[in-house]
Amino acid sequence: MDRLHNYYAGPAALPTEVLEEAREELLNFQSSGCSVMETSHRSKEYDAVHNEAVSLVKELMGLDDKFHVIMVQGGASSQFAMVPMNLLSEGKSADYVLTGSWSQKAIKEAKNIGTVRVAADTSVDGVFTSLPKQDELDLDSNATYCHITSNNTIFGTQFRTFPNVGNVPLVADMSSDILSHKFDPSPFGIIYAGAQKNLGPSGVTLVIIRDDVLQQCNTNLPTMFTYKTHVDKNSLYNTPPTFGIYLMNKVLNWIKSNGGIKGVAKENTAKAELLYGTIDNSNGFYVNNIPADDRSQMNVVFRLPSEDLEKKFVADGLDAGFLGLKGHRSVGGIRISMYNATRLSSIEKFVGFMNDFSAKNG
Ligand SMILES: *Cc1c(COP(=O)(O)O)cnc(C)c1O
């Protein structure tokens, strides 16, 4: 059977070229006589992969020497706790912008550790369908950091421009839109992302830390939970997730060969315009009520006239070769996740299916 058009939210589609290369190298990596999975994390072959991944993140995101790039385990969910463990000591307070289920979880972890202020909460009856405007943020200028979720994977909203929080370091969970569009990294103290949406397979978590923020971090934590450990040892204090980092390296090279962030961002915008355009021009058959400025380019959520039609849409979609159309179990409806690896040609085929489906069932 052929590979399907894969719109799963995460783990998500990887570029086919990356998988093909990995298959090619699987048994014998660079004539080392073994797989990259089977070699020491201190070997020269692995070392080159590891260091190239770090330098590609810096190059693609335009990070200068003020930023450290580390790769750890535990997923973004561990970062929900690691950020406050490292930064939120006695007497300090952090602002959190609450825009969805992932920010909710980040807040829960931070509250276990220190003082949290919710700087905005856009929920209406437990549902988050918009982002706060700048003047709707209740910011504390003395906050140790201000945490945002850059892209709300479940609700389909995305900060295309980031809140202005003055001199307070922004901390962002970018799990579902890292490396998808260009932005100025300088206001960010910490950026973290689980790899399994836009960067590679699950098991690697990318963390970017600005040096002045690193200098404020707690160092009396257990070794593995201290950011400084991983920065000082270039993410090689213990065994890193070597195969995941190897695949991430390939994804980063793939982004670079596709025009870098500018190139993928252009394609992401084209995909989003096509899909939202199809929804908005469906005479109300497909509905997405998120304000235009807040709509995510990564996760597009929409409803059909009934749950029965949504079920049929998912089933007919699968028959037509489209995988992973179902919305998150907490919100229902349809969700199309189209990270960097999803090509415009795939979305062109998908909107063809959508137009056929609405014509037959509308
Ligand atoms: C998927 C996701 C997470 C969870 O990541 P894990 O690596 O599974 O812990 C956290 N935040 C956002 C925004 C996500 O999309």
Side-chain angles (χ1 to χ4, degrees), residues 106-121:
I107 290 171
K108 173 172 176 267
E109 296 300 315
K111 279 186 171 166
N112 283 333
I113 290 156
T115 307
V116 170
R117 277 178 80 257
V118 175
D121 174 353

Side-chain angles (χ1 to χ4, degrees), residues 162-175:
F162 296 105
N164 180 352
V165 295
N167 290 326
V168 172
L170 266 174
V171 171
D173 174 2
M174 294 201 183
S175 295

Side-chain angles (χ1 to χ4, degrees), residues 58-72:
K58 288 189 176 169
E59 179 187 331
L60 291 167
M61 291 183 71
L63 303 173
D64 62 26
D65 291 345
K66 288 198 294 290
F67 290 95
H68 305 282
V69 173
I70 59 173
M71 298 164 296
V72 296

Side-chain angles (χ1 to χ4, degrees), residues 76-283:
S77 300
S78 293
Q79 294 307 309
F80 295 163
M82 236 173 118
V83 168
M85 283 165 80
N86 278 268
L87 285 172
L88 209 49
S89 43
E90 193 72 34
K92 293 185 172 171
S93 170
D95 280 357
Y96 276 72
V97 179
L98 174 50
T99 54
S101 315
W102 296 113
S103 351
Q104 237 153 10
K105 289 189 169 159
I107 290 171
K108 173 172 176 267
E109 296 300 315
K111 279 186 171 166
N112 283 333
I113 290 156
T115 307
V116 170
R117 277 178 80 257
V118 175
D121 174 353
T122 56
S123 67
V124 178
D125 300 329
V127 178
F128 297 83
T129 49
S130 67
L131 297 173
K133 302 258 177 298
Q134 181 68 33
D135 62 8
E136 292 165 348
L137 295 170
D138 168 26
L139 297 168
D140 171 7
S141 56
N142 291 316
T144 304
Y145 61 86
C146 178
H147 182 284
I148 61 168
T149 310
S150 58
N151 182 74
N152 295 282
T153 325
I154 295 173
F155 292 100
T157 57
Q158 181 182 26
F159 283 104
R160 307 284 310 159
T161 50
F162 296 105
N164 180 352
V165 295
N167 290 326
V168 172
L170 266 174
V171 171
D173 174 2
M174 294 201 183
S175 295
S176 51
D177 69 346
I178 191 150
L179 286 162
S180 71
H181 67 110
K182 198 149 186 70
F183 62 87
D184 171 16
S186 58
F188 291 88
I190 296 183
I191 293 169
Y192 62 88
Q196 66 272 21
K197 283 143 191 163
N198 245 329
L199 291 175
S202 61
V204 189
T205 313
L206 181 71
V207 184
I208 297 162
I209 311 179
R210 209 172 64 203
D211 192 64
D212 61 300
V213 172
L214 180 73
Q215 298 313 327
Q216 297 168 36
C217 283
N218 234 334
T219 47
N220 58 358
L221 298 166
T223 311
M224 282 298 287
F225 302 108
T226 307
Y227 282 130
K228 209 159 180 308
T229 302
H230 302 289
V231 171
D232 288 350
K233 298 289 182 191
N234 185 27
S235 310
L236 288 160
Y237 170 76
N238 73 328
T239 319
T242 54
F243 192 67
I245 291 170
Y246 158 81
L247 283 176
M248 189 172 105
N249 170 307
K250 292 212 176 296
V251 171
L252 295 166
N253 272 302
W254 178 86
I255 292 174
K256 188 172 170 176
S257 66
N258 278 279
I261 304 254
K262 265 200 189 143
V264 293
K266 194 170 162 215
E267 187 156 348
N268 287 334
T269 298
K271 291 182 304 193
E273 281 175 357
L274 182 58
L275 185 43
Y276 284 114
T278 304
I279 293 168
D280 294 341
N281 293 323
S282 69
N283 293 318

